[in-house]
């Protein structure tokens, strides 16, 4: 399960790298994306540490080209397209971490909850940038 989470973080890191170098984003948006990418690198590092602590080997990242193909980045035409892709990935990551919490036991559930919070924060920023309305219903994730 931890390696599946690492794989998600690798994907997020690659997605933000591809976006930052796409030429589709305004400089201020690139700066936000690079900050979020740094958060994902921190998540990856914590998860890799946990896998090693348990005696395992962390899953390796794919190439940016492989992630680009899987994420269909060739279809991205403008900043809004990039932000919508990022928003979908962040929402998915928040939900994935929330789903992991019960399975991780007391050793790792807190870090998974913290990561879910980070992902939800990223989603909120991206949703705001896209002009999405604040959801009326509670319990938006999970």
């Amino acid at each position: 399960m931890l390696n599946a989470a690492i794989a998600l973080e690798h994907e997020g890191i690659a997605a933000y790298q591809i976006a930052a170098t796409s030429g589709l984003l305004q400089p201020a948006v690139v700066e936000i994306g690079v900050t979020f990418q740094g958060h994902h690198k921190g998540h990856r590092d914590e998860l890799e540490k946990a896998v090693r602590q348990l005696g395992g080997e962390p899953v390796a990242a794919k190439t940016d080209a492989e992630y680009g193909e899987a994420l269909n980045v060739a279809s991205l035409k403008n900043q809004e397209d990039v932000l919508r892709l990022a928003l979908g990935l962040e929402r998915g990551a928040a939900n994935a971490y929330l789903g992991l919490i019960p399975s991780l036991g007391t050793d790792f559930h807190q870090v998974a909850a913290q990561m879910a919070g980070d992902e939800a924060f990223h989603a909120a920023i991206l949703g705001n940038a896209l002009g999405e309305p604040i959801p009326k219903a509670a319990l938006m994730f999970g």
Side-chain angles (χ1 to χ4, degrees), residues 97-119:
Y97 282 118
L98 289 171
L100 278 178
I101 292 169
S103 306
L104 295 179
T106 57
D107 291 337
F108 303 109
H109 71 273
Q110 183 175 354
V111 73
Q114 290 172 301
M115 290 179 191
D118 287 354
E119 308 300 0

Side-chain angles (χ1 to χ4, degrees), residues 86-99:
L87 178 58
L89 292 174
E90 295 292 0
R91 284 180 174 156
N95 285 323
Y97 282 118
L98 289 171

Side-chain angles (χ1 to χ4, degrees), residues 57-126:
E57 184 64 30
V59 66
K62 299 176 186 177
T63 66
D64 282 354
E66 289 172 305
Y67 288 116
E69 185 175 329
L71 296 170
N72 194 25
V73 297
S75 69
L76 304 175
K77 303 298 182 213
N78 53 45
Q79 181 168 284
E80 183 176 342
D81 291 347
V82 174
L83 293 175
R84 291 209 178 280
L85 171 63
L87 178 58
L89 292 174
E90 295 292 0
R91 284 180 174 156
N95 285 323
Y97 282 118
L98 289 171
L100 278 178
I101 292 169
S103 306
L104 295 179
T106 57
D107 291 337
F108 303 109
H109 71 273
Q110 183 175 354
V111 73
Q114 290 172 301
M115 290 179 191
D118 287 354
E119 308 300 0
F121 174 81
H122 295 167
I125 297 296
L126 292 164

Side-chain angles (χ1 to χ4, degrees), residues 27-67:
V29 175
V30 171
E31 185 176 340
I32 293 167
V34 170
T35 299
F36 289 178
Q37 182 189 49
H39 296 165
H40 287 287
K41 287 178 180 179
H43 296 170
R44 176 207 56 209
D45 294 348
E46 286 296 317
L47 292 164
E48 286 180 345
K49 185 170 65 174
V51 167
R52 287 189 183 96
Q53 181 181 336
L54 294 169
E57 184 64 30
V59 66
K62 299 176 186 177
T63 66
D64 282 354
E66 289 172 305
Y67 288 116

